Amino acid sequence: RVAGERRSGVPAAGERRLAPVVHGAEAGVPDSGRLARMRAREKATGVEQAGSGEAMEARWRQMIEDPAGHFFALTREPIDGRELVKKMLRGEDGAVVTFEGVTRNNSRGRRTVALEYDCYEAMAIEVMARVGREIAAAHEIDRVGMVHRLGRLEVGETSVVIVVTAAHRAAAFAACREAIDRLKRVAPIWKKEYFEDGAEWVEGEWDAAVGHP
């Protein structure tokens, strides 16, 4: 945890927090029983808190904002990429690069009607923050913002937004590309695809990296 950072949707200081366990049978694509256990664990750790109560923050399931200006959040509401750009941009920035992941209408030759994202929220937000801070340290950029949506998304809706600000465009482009690549590879966020003839959880890069028993 970074000194001076702001958080919402996480346990208050001194509150007991359970460590996430992600291994063995818990490492693959979630089934209904696994998701139910995650929901119960989140309630036990206080993840269901509303947060600060401020109107702007009410949308965040989880949020971390540190003194360096980096911002990470999970939400079940539509994401406004322009709003995140406005939040991250400063007068010293000469470049801002934005990536938006959008729900498309097809996957592996089948017609997609919707997607659903779920995760263990307390773990996912920590991974997002770690990835963002490591990227900021490795590139000559100013700030990184990441927001991922959870729940059901219709075709055309945004699932993730990443914003990188910097003095120069080359560093901003490189950092933004690395951010989405690493987020897909390491964040414990699962995707369910709904087709015209059924639905299935998709094993993503994170699941493959963790492996199966």
Side-chain angles (χ1 to χ4, degrees):
R1 181 164 180 164
V2 174
E5 71 182 19
R6 295 195 310 121
R7 295 179 175 227
S8 67
V10 295
E15 190 171 347
R16 183 170 179 264
R17 182 172 184 172
L18 303 180
V21 178
V22 185
H23 57 77
E26 290 285 307
V29 178
D31 56 22
S32 59
R34 182 182 179 188
L35 292 176
R37 292 193 297 274
M38 288 194 299
R39 295 283 81 81
R41 185 180 297 170
E42 286 166 357
K43 285 187 177 181
T45 57
V47 171
E48 295 295 326
Q49 295 182 134
S52 68
E54 298 177 10
M56 184 176 179
E57 294 183 1
R59 78 193 74 172
W60 309 128
R61 295 284 301 178
Q62 292 280 308
M63 182 274 285
I64 295 176
E65 183 173 22
D66 64 28
H70 307 311
F71 181 83
F72 314 97
L74 296 168
T75 184
R76 291 187 178 271
E77 299 182 17
I79 306 172
D80 186 340
R82 293 172 298 180
E83 181 183 38
L84 185 58
V85 168
K86 184 177 180 180
K87 180 177 182 62
M88 307 305 294
L89 202 58
R90 302 288 190 276
E92 64 269 22
D93 297 319
V96 56
V97 173
T98 303
F99 170 83
E100 291 199 22
V102 180
T103 304
R104 64 177 183 267
N105 65 3
N106 66 92
S107 177
R108 293 164 290 155
R110 301 171 69 184
R111 182 173 178 79
T112 305
V113 297
L115 297 179
E116 179 183 348
Y117 288 91
D118 214 325
C119 68
Y120 176 33
E121 297 176 11
M123 180 180 182
I125 194 68
E126 296 290 350
V127 171
M128 291 170 66
R130 174 173 57 80
V131 168
R133 288 163 177 161
E134 288 176 356
I135 288 171
H139 296 270
E140 293 186 2
I141 62 173
D142 295 329
R143 282 160 298 283
V144 177
M146 297 183 184
V147 179
H148 204 297
R149 188 172 169 188
L150 304 176
R152 184 182 173 96
L153 281 72
E154 304 300 325
V155 171
E157 291 192 290
T158 298
S159 59
V160 59
V161 174
I162 296 176
V163 173
V164 176
T165 66
H168 304 288
R169 65 183 182 275
F173 274 116
C176 193
R177 174 63 184 270
E178 182 178 342
I180 186 57
D181 287 349
R182 289 189 60 189
L183 189 66
K184 287 176 66 66
R185 188 165 62 247
V186 303
I189 299 174
W190 300 281
K191 179 173 69 174
K192 189 175 187 178
E193 294 182 334
Y194 289 85
F195 304 103
E196 292 178 318
D197 58 350
E200 60 186 49
W201 288 101
V202 178
E203 183 173 295
E205 295 179 43
W206 178 78
D207 300 292
V210 171
H212 294 281

